[in-house]
Amino acid sequence: MNRLPTVIRQHLAGLRLLLIFTVICGIIYPLVMWGLAQWLFPRQANGSLVSYQGRTVGSSLLCQEFVNAKGQPLPQYFQPRPSFAIVGWSLKEVKGKWVVEGMGPNNYGCNPLYSSASNLGNNNPAQIQFVKQRQRQIAKFDHVAISKIPSDAVTASGSGLDPDITPANAAIQVDRVAKARHITPAQVEALVRTYTTGRTLGFLGAPVVNVLLLNIALDEQYPV
Amino acid sequence: MSSALAGWLQAGLLVAALAACYVPLGNYLAHVFTSDKDWRVERFLFRLMGIDRNADQRWGVYVRSILAFSAVSVLFLYGLQRLQDHLMLSEGMTAVPPATAWNTAASFVTNTNWQNYAGESTMGYLVQMTGLAVQQFLSAAVGLVVAIAMIRGFIRSRTDKLGNFWVDVTRASIRLLLPLAIVGGLILIAGGSIMNFHPYETYTTLSGAKQTIPGGPVGSMEIIKDMGNNGGGFFNTNSAHPYENPNPFTNWFEIFTLLLIPFATPRAFGKMVKDNKQGYALVAVMACIWLLAVGGISFFEAHYGVGGATAAQIAHGATEGVETRFGTSGCSLFAASTTVTSTGAVNCFHDSLTPFGGGIALFDIALGEIAPGGIGAGMYGILILAIVTVFVGGLMVGRTPEYIGKKIRPVEMKYAALYFLTLPTVILIATGLSIGTHQGQSAIFNPGPHGLTEIVYAFASEANNNGSAFAGLGTSLGWYQTLGGIVMLLGRFAPELFALGLAGSLARQQPVPASAGTLDTRTPLFVGMVIGVILVLVGLTYFPALALGPFAEGLH
């Protein structure tokens, strides 16, 4: 061993250190964490999955799209934020208008295999066009004034998988959901309140409404 | 409660928690690297590695050990990615393409964690767990031990030995990083970070569509990603992804872990040089700059302006790329903390920040990652800047500059100057080359001055081993992958070489007793001088790039 040149000996020492710590930090440590996690926090460790009528319908931590076969939003459900979690999306300019093109069979967003932000800058003409376009769509869909639409409804989330909307965003959707389900806005508002979470400890983060849990409660109590 | 007040309380709790950890963790850190007693497991590991734990290394040998270990690591990580389709737990992923694998190997070994791939669709569980996450431990340990070796340069005299690299790395991993990772990881998992080995499963959603949900050993990687100032997430969208960072508490906790060790290291420094006030002075410099960054980004994200024609103004909120549960205050606090610590994890997307908010993020990185900087790297970085400050102070009053009982002579200043010049040189040359080539330009995503900012940010981030990005830039092009790998390696190992050279030169000196002419480096005056030197040096170096990028966009 000592007869080898120093350079070789150092690289061999490096290799041994790497292999030893690959076993410790790369195999033993994650397996211990996995064991502890599955024992102590199995629901969280397995993805916070939620069931409805005996089947798993998704995760309370991941958004899902509530759209029909043509990709249009379903009025009886609260709608999540715009999402760029779309298979292999790219930005294209078609006849002076910016469009987002995906490569999948359905390109709605909220696809957990392709978490993504838009990365569009504040002064990017495409971003400005998208915000205005979404405002017009929501104004028409929910019959609200553009000035009433909160920013989270017209901007894409960071992960593309944001499970939440702001209480203000939920509020503008109440009337439309109530009408589609033939119930009163007050009944919907009561459920929205149930699924609204304030700031953690009163000051961490922001108040949110979990869209999937709210929509499940709606289906459960006021089926269409 | 108003969202501004909540945001400040959130930051206030962070300051309190970090202050509470400063003394105990700093003392423990010093103990880890000064204790003579090996744990039994350490003795066993030293035998397994075949090293003589008592063999102290000269600075040159210490550097060569780092380089040898890192070279082996790059090769191993490259091979693992290229062969993943032949190994278990690949989750059906194909072999990673060569340029991506090269860039990623350099990225994780240098503690940068620049990611030009989407984790959930590129890397199988085995690569994430036994390749990337292992480097997140070891590259953090390497950064830390370089800082410790540099501190030894101050406390040792008439020797050229700085310690044993293999012993130091083992201690840093076994005594510090692993125990903290186990505790912190469980906290993240309790909050909702996933930790399983399920294959990707497809479910039918509430409205009848199909949705495939990934699994993975995320929690164990998430904690070391943050605590080791690595930043390379399991998923493409990093700490914005609900499976990495599920709620406002985990978000606060992740920010806390980014800052924890870097902010406690000055205490270890003070303890080791037997003058705690020296540690307080340096941590004060770090804290001031960090708080300025937090205040700046928070301000510009909350005050995006009214009545104008930018996207945030039309939407009535700078929420593009921001998760609802964190809000813009959670985003700003994270963005400032991740860019001043060389972590590079993101919970909101910096490309979509307001021009000035994003400009501050870039400036934070350009500061050279010293406030508090990456694990260890921040410490040796700020020591170099303290030495430069002492030198500048010495020039002003005409005395021989000294720091911690060691003279700052021309040879020390040469090392310090080389250290400081490396990063701007690498960053500005790489940026210039990219702007001058077709491939370099074609990667720009957002038009106008913002596009220039994307390129400057990319190389500043890579050279400073940060790893965050203005991620619109199409860095999956071969140009950026190849050049980026070189930039990251230069940005990591050249400064470490100069820092250790400086340490070796200091260790050979005999300590000089403080005299009436010695600048007291424990005073608020000195703290102010260091901050001044940092801001002036960086400001002048990067002013043209900042003026043409974020300033031009923001003032337009």
Side-chain angles (χ1 to χ4, degrees), chain B residues 414-436:
Chain B
K414 276 179 199 153
Y415 280 120
L418 282 170
Y419 178 100
F420 183 80
L421 288 173
T422 306
L423 296 179
T425 311
V426 170
I427 294 165
L428 296 175
I429 289 179
T431 305
L433 287 175
S434 298
I435 294 169

mmCIF file of all heavy atoms in Angstrom, chain B residues 414-436:
data_model
loop_
_atom_site.group_PDB
_atom_site.id
_atom_site.type_symbol
_atom_site.label_atom_id
_atom_site.label_comp_id
_atom_site.label_asym_id
_atom_site.label_seq_id
_atom_site.Cartn_x
_atom_site.Cartn_y
_atom_site.Cartn_z
ATOM 1 N N LYS B 414 -1.813 38.283 -1.253
ATOM 2 C CA LYS B 414 -1.878 37.699 -2.604
ATOM 3 C C LYS B 414 -2.926 36.594 -2.648
ATOM 4 O O LYS B 414 -3.739 36.513 -3.565
ATOM 5 C CB LYS B 414 -0.508 37.169 -3.014
ATOM 6 C CG LYS B 414 0.382 38.251 -3.588
ATOM 7 C CD LYS B 414 1.745 37.705 -3.960
ATOM 8 C CE LYS B 414 2.749 38.845 -4.074
ATOM 9 N NZ LYS B 414 4.116 38.419 -3.816
ATOM 10 N N TYR B 415 -2.894 35.744 -1.620
ATOM 11 C CA TYR B 415 -3.911 34.687 -1.573
ATOM 12 C C TYR B 415 -5.322 35.279 -1.490
ATOM 13 O O TYR B 415 -6.245 34.835 -2.165
ATOM 14 C CB TYR B 415 -3.676 33.768 -0.370
ATOM 15 C CG TYR B 415 -2.595 32.734 -0.576
ATOM 16 C CD1 TYR B 415 -1.472 32.693 0.244
ATOM 17 C CD2 TYR B 415 -2.718 31.780 -1.582
ATOM 18 C CE1 TYR B 415 -0.482 31.741 0.069
ATOM 19 C CE2 TYR B 415 -1.738 30.823 -1.770
ATOM 20 C CZ TYR B 415 -0.620 30.796 -0.943
ATOM 21 O OH TYR B 415 0.336 29.853 -1.135
ATOM 22 N N ALA B 416 -5.479 36.303 -0.634
ATOM 23 C CA ALA B 416 -6.807 36.904 -0.455
ATOM 24 C C ALA B 416 -7.288 37.538 -1.761
ATOM 25 O O ALA B 416 -8.450 37.389 -2.146
ATOM 26 C CB ALA B 416 -6.767 37.950 0.668
ATOM 27 N N ALA B 417 -6.382 38.223 -2.461
ATOM 28 C CA ALA B 417 -6.770 38.866 -3.715
ATOM 29 C C ALA B 417 -7.132 37.833 -4.773
ATOM 30 O O ALA B 417 -8.119 37.975 -5.498
ATOM 31 C CB ALA B 417 -5.641 39.766 -4.207
ATOM 32 N N LEU B 418 -6.316 36.764 -4.843
ATOM 33 C CA LEU B 418 -6.631 35.711 -5.814
ATOM 34 C C LEU B 418 -7.999 35.097 -5.491
ATOM 35 O O LEU B 418 -8.807 34.846 -6.382
ATOM 36 C CB LEU B 418 -5.565 34.618 -5.765
ATOM 37 C CG LEU B 418 -4.258 34.951 -6.474
ATOM 38 C CD1 LEU B 418 -3.192 33.919 -6.149
ATOM 39 C CD2 LEU B 418 -4.493 35.018 -7.979
ATOM 40 N N TYR B 419 -8.248 34.879 -4.196
ATOM 41 C CA TYR B 419 -9.543 34.331 -3.777
ATOM 42 C C TYR B 419 -10.653 35.221 -4.286
ATOM 43 O O TYR B 419 -11.600 34.767 -4.916
ATOM 44 C CB TYR B 419 -9.595 34.244 -2.245
ATOM 45 C CG TYR B 419 -10.912 33.736 -1.717
ATOM 46 C CD1 TYR B 419 -11.053 32.409 -1.314
ATOM 47 C CD2 TYR B 419 -12.033 34.560 -1.613
ATOM 48 C CE1 TYR B 419 -12.260 31.932 -0.838
ATOM 49 C CE2 TYR B 419 -13.243 34.090 -1.140
ATOM 50 C CZ TYR B 419 -13.349 32.782 -0.746
ATOM 51 O OH TYR B 419 -14.549 32.297 -0.282
ATOM 52 N N PHE B 420 -10.502 36.519 -4.016
ATOM 53 C CA PHE B 420 -11.608 37.405 -4.371
ATOM 54 C C PHE B 420 -11.783 37.541 -5.879
ATOM 55 O O PHE B 420 -12.899 37.657 -6.366
ATOM 56 C CB PHE B 420 -11.427 38.794 -3.752
ATOM 57 C CG PHE B 420 -12.596 39.669 -4.051
ATOM 58 C CD1 PHE B 420 -13.762 39.554 -3.304
ATOM 59 C CD2 PHE B 420 -12.590 40.535 -5.129
ATOM 60 C CE1 PHE B 420 -14.885 40.302 -3.613
ATOM 61 C CE2 PHE B 420 -13.713 41.290 -5.447
ATOM 62 C CZ PHE B 420 -14.851 41.169 -4.674
ATOM 63 N N LEU B 421 -10.679 37.518 -6.627
ATOM 64 C CA LEU B 421 -10.776 37.769 -8.071
ATOM 65 C C LEU B 421 -11.317 36.581 -8.856
ATOM 66 O O LEU B 421 -11.825 36.746 -9.963
ATOM 67 C CB LEU B 421 -9.401 38.163 -8.618
ATOM 68 C CG LEU B 421 -8.943 39.567 -8.215
ATOM 69 C CD1 LEU B 421 -7.509 39.798 -8.648
ATOM 70 C CD2 LEU B 421 -9.869 40.611 -8.848
ATOM 71 N N THR B 422 -11.175 35.380 -8.301
ATOM 72 C CA THR B 422 -11.566 34.194 -9.055
ATOM 73 C C THR B 422 -13.008 34.273 -9.556
ATOM 74 O O THR B 422 -13.289 34.097 -10.748
ATOM 75 C CB THR B 422 -11.446 32.931 -8.171
ATOM 76 O OG1 THR B 422 -10.136 32.885 -7.641
ATOM 77 C CG2 THR B 422 -11.724 31.680 -8.981
ATOM 78 N N LEU B 423 -13.946 34.554 -8.615
ATOM 79 C CA LEU B 423 -15.350 34.434 -8.988
ATOM 80 C C LEU B 423 -15.798 35.444 -10.036
ATOM 81 O O LEU B 423 -16.367 35.046 -11.057
ATOM 82 C CB LEU B 423 -16.229 34.484 -7.742
ATOM 83 C CG LEU B 423 -15.983 33.297 -6.807
ATOM 84 C CD1 LEU B 423 -16.853 33.385 -5.572
ATOM 85 C CD2 LEU B 423 -16.243 31.982 -7.533
ATOM 86 N N PRO B 424 -15.525 36.763 -9.819
ATOM 87 C CA PRO B 424 -15.947 37.707 -10.865
ATOM 88 C C PRO B 424 -15.342 37.362 -12.223
ATOM 89 O O PRO B 424 -16.012 37.472 -13.254
ATOM 90 C CB PRO B 424 -15.419 39.056 -10.364
ATOM 91 C CG PRO B 424 -15.211 38.886 -8.917
ATOM 92 C CD PRO B 424 -14.921 37.445 -8.673
ATOM 93 N N THR B 425 -14.078 36.933 -12.234
ATOM 94 C CA THR B 425 -13.438 36.593 -13.506
ATOM 95 C C THR B 425 -14.191 35.470 -14.199
ATOM 96 O O THR B 425 -14.556 35.565 -15.375
ATOM 97 C CB THR B 425 -11.978 36.157 -13.251
ATOM 98 O OG1 THR B 425 -11.360 37.121 -12.415
ATOM 99 C CG2 THR B 425 -11.220 36.023 -14.539
ATOM 100 N N VAL B 426 -14.435 34.407 -13.443
ATOM 101 C CA VAL B 426 -15.124 33.254 -14.029
ATOM 102 C C VAL B 426 -16.522 33.645 -14.505
ATOM 103 O O VAL B 426 -16.938 33.332 -15.625
ATOM 104 C CB VAL B 426 -15.210 32.112 -12.987
ATOM 105 C CG1 VAL B 426 -16.130 31.008 -13.469
ATOM 106 C CG2 VAL B 426 -13.824 31.564 -12.677
ATOM 107 N N ILE B 427 -17.242 34.370 -13.651
ATOM 108 C CA ILE B 427 -18.641 34.711 -13.970
ATOM 109 C C ILE B 427 -18.719 35.616 -15.196
ATOM 110 O O ILE B 427 -19.486 35.358 -16.132
ATOM 111 C CB ILE B 427 -19.300 35.435 -12.775
ATOM 112 C CG1 ILE B 427 -19.414 34.495 -11.579
ATOM 113 C CG2 ILE B 427 -20.676 35.983 -13.156
ATOM 114 C CD1 ILE B 427 -19.713 35.194 -10.275
ATOM 115 N N LEU B 428 -17.892 36.671 -15.195
ATOM 116 C CA LEU B 428 -18.038 37.645 -16.275
ATOM 117 C C LEU B 428 -17.536 37.078 -17.602
ATOM 118 O O LEU B 428 -18.117 37.341 -18.651
ATOM 119 C CB LEU B 428 -17.330 38.957 -15.905
ATOM 120 C CG LEU B 428 -17.974 39.642 -14.676
ATOM 121 C CD1 LEU B 428 -17.192 40.868 -14.245
ATOM 122 C CD2 LEU B 428 -19.436 40.021 -14.944
ATOM 123 N N ILE B 429 -16.490 36.254 -17.564
ATOM 124 C CA ILE B 429 -16.020 35.636 -18.813
ATOM 125 C C ILE B 429 -17.072 34.665 -19.357
ATOM 126 O O ILE B 429 -17.416 34.691 -20.540
ATOM 127 C CB ILE B 429 -14.669 34.922 -18.594
ATOM 128 C CG1 ILE B 429 -13.562 35.967 -18.395
ATOM 129 C CG2 ILE B 429 -14.333 34.020 -19.791
ATOM 130 C CD1 ILE B 429 -12.198 35.372 -18.139
ATOM 131 N N ALA B 430 -17.612 33.828 -18.477
ATOM 132 C CA ALA B 430 -18.616 32.857 -18.933
ATOM 133 C C ALA B 430 -19.849 33.567 -19.481
ATOM 134 O O ALA B 430 -20.418 33.169 -20.504
ATOM 135 C CB ALA B 430 -19.000 31.923 -17.793
ATOM 136 N N THR B 431 -20.251 34.657 -18.812
ATOM 137 C CA THR B 431 -21.416 35.415 -19.301
ATOM 138 C C THR B 431 -21.114 36.021 -20.666
ATOM 139 O O THR B 431 -21.920 35.928 -21.596
ATOM 140 C CB THR B 431 -21.773 36.541 -18.309
ATOM 141 O OG1 THR B 431 -21.970 35.967 -17.019
ATOM 142 C CG2 THR B 431 -23.028 37.264 -18.733
ATOM 143 N N GLY B 432 -19.932 36.629 -20.777
ATOM 144 C CA GLY B 432 -19.557 37.237 -22.042
ATOM 145 C C GLY B 432 -19.536 36.235 -23.176
ATOM 146 O O GLY B 432 -20.070 36.490 -24.258
ATOM 147 N N LEU B 433 -18.938 35.065 -22.913
ATOM 148 C CA LEU B 433 -18.882 34.029 -23.942
ATOM 149 C C LEU B 433 -20.289 33.605 -24.356
ATOM 150 O O LEU B 433 -20.585 33.380 -25.531
ATOM 151 C CB LEU B 433 -18.121 32.804 -23.416
ATOM 152 C CG LEU B 433 -16.603 32.937 -23.284
ATOM 153 C CD1 LEU B 433 -16.018 31.695 -22.642
ATOM 154 C CD2 LEU B 433 -15.986 33.165 -24.671
ATOM 155 N N SER B 434 -21.184 33.495 -23.367
ATOM 156 C CA SER B 434 -22.534 33.028 -23.675
ATOM 157 C C SER B 434 -23.304 34.045 -24.501
ATOM 158 O O SER B 434 -24.036 33.694 -25.430
ATOM 159 C CB SER B 434 -23.307 32.744 -22.388
ATOM 160 O OG SER B 434 -22.660 31.734 -21.672
ATOM 161 N N ILE B 435 -23.138 35.326 -24.148
ATOM 162 C CA ILE B 435 -23.856 36.352 -24.909
ATOM 163 C C ILE B 435 -23.317 36.407 -26.332
ATOM 164 O O ILE B 435 -24.045 36.705 -27.275
ATOM 165 C CB ILE B 435 -23.707 37.722 -24.214
ATOM 166 C CG1 ILE B 435 -24.429 37.670 -22.879
ATOM 167 C CG2 ILE B 435 -24.265 38.839 -25.066
ATOM 168 C CD1 ILE B 435 -24.156 38.842 -21.992
ATOM 169 N N GLY B 436 -22.019 36.066 -26.479
ATOM 170 C CA GLY B 436 -21.405 36.131 -27.799
ATOM 171 C C GLY B 436 -21.641 34.917 -28.680
ATOM 172 O O GLY B 436 -21.182 34.886 -29.803
#
